[in-house]
Amino acid sequence: MLLDQMTLSEKIGQMNQVNASDSDITDQLRLDIAAGRVGSVLNQVDVDTVNELQRIAVQESRLGIPLLVGRDVIHGFKTVMPIPLGQAATWNPDIVREGAKVAAREAATAGINWALAPMIDISRDARWGRIAESPGEDPYLASVLAAAMVEGYQGEDLIDIGTIAACAKHFAGYGASESGRDYSTTNIPENELRNVYLRPFKAAVDAGVATLMASFSDLDGVPATANKFLMRQVLRDEWGFRGFVVSDWDSVRQLAIHGLTENDKESVFQAVTAGVDMEMAGESYAHNLEELLEDGRIDIEMIDAMVANILSVKFRLGLFENPFTDPAALPAIANEEALETARKAALQSAVLLKNDGGVLPLSAETLNSIAIIGPLADAPYEQLGTWIFDGDSDLSVTPLRSIRDMLGEDIEIRYARAMANSRSRPTGSFAQAVEIAADSDAAILFLGEESILSGEAHSRANIDLPGAQAELVRQIRKTGKPVTAVIMAGRPLTLTNIVDEVDAILYAWHPGTMGGPAIADLLFGVESPSGKLPVTFPRMVGQIPIYYNHKNTGKPPSPDTVVLIDDIDARAPQLSTGMTAFHLDAGYTPLFAFGHGLSYAEFDYQNVRSSSREIGMGDTVTISAELANNGSVAADEVAQLYIRDLVGNVTRPVKELKGFKRVRLEPGQRVTVDFELHTDDLAFFGRNMQLMTEAGEFHAWIGGSSETDLRTEFRIIDSE
Ligand code: BGC
């Protein structure tokens, strides 16, 4: 067995991941790899350099153990898919899986065999810059998409060419960073952790994810990188995870900065005993593990088990048989299939938030001219979004270009950028933008955030449209022309100050390489929008965290109990407010609800019913509804199933997503959508932290958003 032949130094070497981003391999790196002191490198993407690194590892090191070559391949490699939050808005695991598959194949051409993705941190906080990378706020949607992404990267078998190991991150709770400030503390009670934040990770583990990454964040006083409960108890003992856990970048040494340990040696002790198998950057494992063994504070069995976890992934990848990469054996970068996947993902990710008077789709037949305005209409780099180390903006097709290509000479297209970037404050160029809008039959504004405004360490406390964009909207509005806003952003923005100033809003997130063609098709009705929000849009930032699957409280608000600040009765101020859970200046509803998304078709749900009024524990119930397309165009609709468990030994959310289906309906078509629910699907972690389903009354809704009120009921009867 390989492990038996390894010296202690070689074992510790496997637990060491080093940055190898330099274009020339440094002498130190050559020496370290040849001496067996490196198990993995990251951030090298030149295939010849990667092959040379592998050659050193397999030919010059004593045991010839190949390297894991890691990279943040988050939403594409050269061909960029929409940001993960945008992909979540597709509610389509097939397209998400396909996107990860394309990313894996392209990354594999560079010799990368390990993607540091999917990021599956639930987030209920749009201020957090990394919400762009997240699947949103819902544990069920996130779990389905987590599994799809793992399947996409890893394929059927990691031995297959073009598949790469995935890494579910950041374990766990990072998305709950206080006030959305990146790297901040998280306070998540265990019950909430289990019922919400851990669920997508369990799904990734069940889908066979090869690795996990520990989070930077502090969870209830114990930073995740030192958190034995997370990595030993939950991940290994309860879930039976067999791969390995990597720290985040230098997060082992940061344990001292957190104030958990006094020095690097103690940090290593904490991380290794908690179950971090490999250290990313930092090299404190390399410098301290041997001494900890000599001191007798850790034993060799622990190290052996961790090294075995790492080696097992290298075996799964087939690296011992062939560590080298021949790019010619893989599909070409940005081939037709890759671009088509990116286009389809962008198409399905865009969410039509509002469409007053059916201003969209625009009709090439009735318009003579349009004005295209704004800093993001023709911004090839910005439309790619955050985390695109390798993304190629030369491949980007912008909306301006696509609209021009689509309309040719038929319609006059006038373009004004109006702002240097999304943050600009000068309004000097607005007059020209107003002029072209006034001269045209319709205006399309391309607004939002540049890519730099979201992502790691790019959190915002104010999530309005930045710079002078709202002012631009107001000025264009005055022309009286129909105004459509296409918003590209890395997060939900608070749109309250512009929502009434525009006729339609298409929320395109950062749509990636093929954003342009997708948006053009949607604006001009070649396709109907079909994205649905994977996260709640607040009216104002002070409502955060606001999410659909909240608890009821003992004083739930209702339209009758809400009294807004201007309506307080001066004579009896105490009595006039409803004494329920709402904000005096915001009420309690969001601007746009989770699951919301309009269509050019007219979808109508009816007759929501349950196959039985009562079921026994262990049985299945079918919840179904009639769905009709009463409109005049064919379109996809995402039908959503929500339930409420009315009474629980811990309080349950007012609604929980339990199923969804993307279906395509022709005009006039009517289908039955049905969802099977096994009583296990209704399980939650109760007071004793055990997963269980309780007997009792359930409500179930089906509809096109979390706001649906089409409800049925069923009851689980305890047979004992
Ligand atoms: C991020 C990780 C990423 C790593 C390597 C860290 O700062 O938190 O998500 O994988 O850097 O780039």
Side-chain angles (χ1 to χ4, degrees), residues 265-286:
K265 184 173 166 186
E266 290 312 309
S267 299
V268 172
F269 176 73
Q270 290 286 338
V272 88
T273 49
V276 174
D277 303 289
M278 180 185 281
E279 181 188 17
M280 181 193 297
E283 299 194 28
S284 60
Y285 273 22

Side-chain angles (χ1 to χ4, degrees), residues 42 72 116 130 169-170 213 216 248-249 280 387 456:
L42 85 163
D72 289 286
L116 304 179
R130 299 197 83 167
K169 70 188 190 184
H170 306 82
M213 186 186 296
F216 282 130
D248 204 341
W249 186 278
M280 181 193 297
W387 277 118
E456 183 173 353

Side-chain angles (χ1 to χ4, degrees), residues 634-646:
D636 279 12
E637 164 71 341
V638 179
Q640 304 159 35
L641 168 73
Y642 296 88
I643 64 103
R644 178 170 178 184
D645 184 349
L646 292 192

Side-chain angles (χ1 to χ4, degrees), residues 66 158-160 312-323:
L158 276 174
I159 209 113
D160 296 338
S312 74
V313 173
K314 297 188 176 187
F315 281 112
R316 266 179 84 185
L317 279 161
L319 291 178
F320 287 90
E321 287 84 64
N322 182 15

Side-chain angles (χ1 to χ4, degrees), residues 620-637:
T620 297
V621 62
T622 303
I623 311 295
S624 59
E626 306 304 324
L627 170 61
N629 177 357
N630 295 335
S632 54
V633 297
D636 279 12
E637 164 71 341

Side-chain angles (χ1 to χ4, degrees), residues 82-152:
I83 53 168
L85 189 61
Q87 291 186 47
T90 67
W91 295 53
N92 184 349
D94 296 334
I95 194 75
V96 167
R97 188 181 304 106
E98 226 25 63
K101 197 181 277 178
V102 168
R105 280 193 205 137
E106 290 195 354
T109 63
I112 291 160
N113 51 35
W114 182 20
L116 304 179
M119 191 275 222
I120 49 177
D121 294 316
I122 300 273
S123 180
R124 297 162 164 177
D125 197 327
R127 294 169 296 187
W128 192 43
R130 299 197 83 167
I131 198 170
E133 276 177 80
S134 138
E137 76 188 27
D138 182 69
Y140 179 81
L141 179 60
S143 298
V144 172
L145 300 182
M149 281 219 183
V150 170
E151 291 157 11

Side-chain angles (χ1 to χ4, degrees), residues 513-528:
T513 305
M514 296 297 279
I519 290 169
D521 279 358
L522 294 170
L523 290 174
F524 288 89
V526 178
E527 287 283 348
S528 170

